[in-house]
Amino acid sequence: MASFCKTCDTKLDENTPFCPVCGTENDTLPGPAPQQQPLQQQYSPPLQQPGLQPQPGQQPQYQPQPQYPPQPQYQPQPQYQQPANVNYTSAAPQKKKVSPLIIFGIPIAVIIVIAAVVFLFGLRGQNRNDPTIEENPVISTDITDTIENSSEATDNPPEVTDNPPEETGVFTKEYDFGTYTGDLVNGLRHGNGFIQFTNGDTYDGEWKDDKKDGHGYYTWLNGETYDGGWKDDKKDSYGFYTWPNGDTYEGDYVNGSMHGYGVLKWSNGAIYEGNFEAGLIQGYGIMTYADGSISEGEWENGAFVE
């Protein structure tokens, strides 16, 4: 007699001990209960066995789902425990103690050094004031013999004069060439002074070692004048010269002559502006004549070249 599975309602034969679909025991069979098949046999795919395919019009049989292996249980991580003998509280850094040797040793060393320096300088000053110590080293006898036997030492002894020192100050002094009134230094015209020459010329200005040097004003007896710089009794640097007929020159002087840049004006109205060399028009310059004509270019020995 046919029966049905109490679990999945699958039709069971009277000789089938277990349901081929879900593996449930067929308890309608007479006699002792059969042994349950292993789990691997219970979950073998029944549809792959011949004769167990569902027929048309029949209800599909239940397919058991495969069981997955159990997941491992979560193991709690061990909690970190702080050692009992460790103190993590922050503390202020401890100030290092300075050794008393450093505190007292450094000042004592400085005092010793200062005392040594003072002693050395005092000893040096004492040696300087000691008359028994010679200031100059002893000269070799060979060198002294050479000096004594030389002709310069015997034939030309140093001159010794009993003349009193020359005048220094402001004086009036007579010379063969004129009369000087002004500053003297050791008897020499030095500073500011005025001189009247015997030929009628005059000079009023600066002097240096008996020579016109610096700025001064010179007047010749014929009426020519010069106002400017002097060096070693000669016109030098920059000056202004006039002639009795009205001609003038203003510009550079070197060694007593017009030399460099200057402007020469004639009484008739002509003007030259340009370069001079050794008292002559030389080099580049512009000549404006009395009639208004102009020559500009190079000049040589006072003549226009181009």
Side-chain angles (χ1 to χ4, degrees):
M1 183 177 72
S3 61
F4 295 90
C5 178
K6 61 181 181 181
T7 302
C8 59
D9 292 336
T10 302
K11 186 176 180 180
L12 304 174
D13 294 337
E14 57 183 3
N15 294 326
T16 303
F18 297 97
C19 177
V21 176
C22 63
T24 304
E25 181 184 0
N26 187 1
D27 54 356
T28 61
L29 296 179
Q35 297 295 326
Q36 186 176 1
Q37 297 179 358
L39 182 61
Q40 182 178 3
Q41 297 180 1
Q42 293 181 10
Y43 288 94
S44 60
L47 295 180
Q48 296 181 0
Q49 299 179 6
L52 297 181
Q53 299 293 336
Q55 300 297 326
Q58 293 183 358
Q59 185 177 0
Q61 299 180 0
Y62 172 75
Q63 300 292 334
Q65 300 295 329
Q67 295 184 2
Y68 295 94
Q71 299 292 332
Q73 297 182 0
Y74 170 76
Q75 298 294 333
Q77 298 295 330
Q79 296 183 358
Y80 174 77
Q81 296 182 358
Q82 181 177 347
N85 57 349
V86 179
N87 185 12
Y88 290 94
T89 59
S90 60
Q94 299 294 329
K95 186 177 181 180
K96 295 182 179 181
K97 295 183 179 180
V98 181
S99 174
L101 180 61
I102 298 176
I103 297 176
F104 298 101
I106 293 177
I108 294 175
V110 173
I111 294 173
I112 293 174
V113 172
I114 295 174
V117 172
V118 172
F119 174 77
L120 292 177
F121 274 94
L123 182 61
R124 183 177 179 183
Q126 182 180 1
N127 292 337
R128 286 184 176 181
N129 298 326
D130 190 355
T132 61
I133 299 177
E134 296 182 359
E135 184 176 358
N136 298 322
V138 177
I139 301 176
S140 173
T141 56
D142 297 336
I143 299 177
T144 56
D145 293 340
T146 303
I147 296 175
E148 291 176 357
N149 296 328
S150 64
S151 60
E152 295 180 359
T154 56
D155 298 340
N156 299 318
E159 296 182 0
V160 178
T161 60
D162 296 332
N163 297 331
E166 298 288 349
E167 306 93 339
T168 298
V170 179
F171 296 92
T172 298
K173 189 173 183 179
E174 296 291 338
Y175 298 92
D176 294 339
F177 50 84
T179 303
Y180 172 81
T181 301
D183 297 329
L184 292 176
V185 176
N186 294 329
L188 301 178
R189 298 183 297 277
H190 194 96
N192 291 288
F194 174 82
I195 188 169
Q196 176 74 48
F197 295 98
T198 55
N199 63 357
D201 298 347
T202 60
Y203 173 80
D204 186 8
E206 295 179 294
W207 298 78
K208 181 179 179 181
D209 296 333
D210 263 354
K211 295 181 180 180
K212 296 182 287 293
D213 198 297
H215 184 268
Y217 183 81
Y218 196 99
T219 303
W220 284 265
L221 182 61
N222 62 359
E224 297 178 7
T225 62
Y226 173 78
D227 185 6
W230 294 80
K231 184 176 182 181
D232 293 334
D233 267 343
K234 296 180 181 179
K235 297 183 289 293
D236 196 82
S237 67
Y238 190 85
F240 182 76
Y241 198 98
T242 64
W243 286 268
N245 62 354
D247 298 343
T248 62
Y249 171 82
E250 183 176 3
D252 297 328
Y253 279 87
V254 174
N255 198 24
S257 300
M258 297 178 291
H259 192 95
Y261 178 81
V263 178
L264 181 60
K265 296 181 180 180
W266 287 267
S267 59
N268 62 358
I271 300 174
Y272 172 81
E273 181 178 356
N275 195 59
F276 290 81
E277 287 187 12
L280 299 175
I281 298 175
Q282 183 79 19
Y284 177 80
I286 302 174
M287 176 72 77
T288 303
Y289 298 95
D291 60 0
S293 59
I294 298 175
S295 296
E296 180 179 357
E298 294 295 326
W299 296 75
E300 185 174 351
N301 293 329
F304 180 70
V305 178
E306 61 178 355

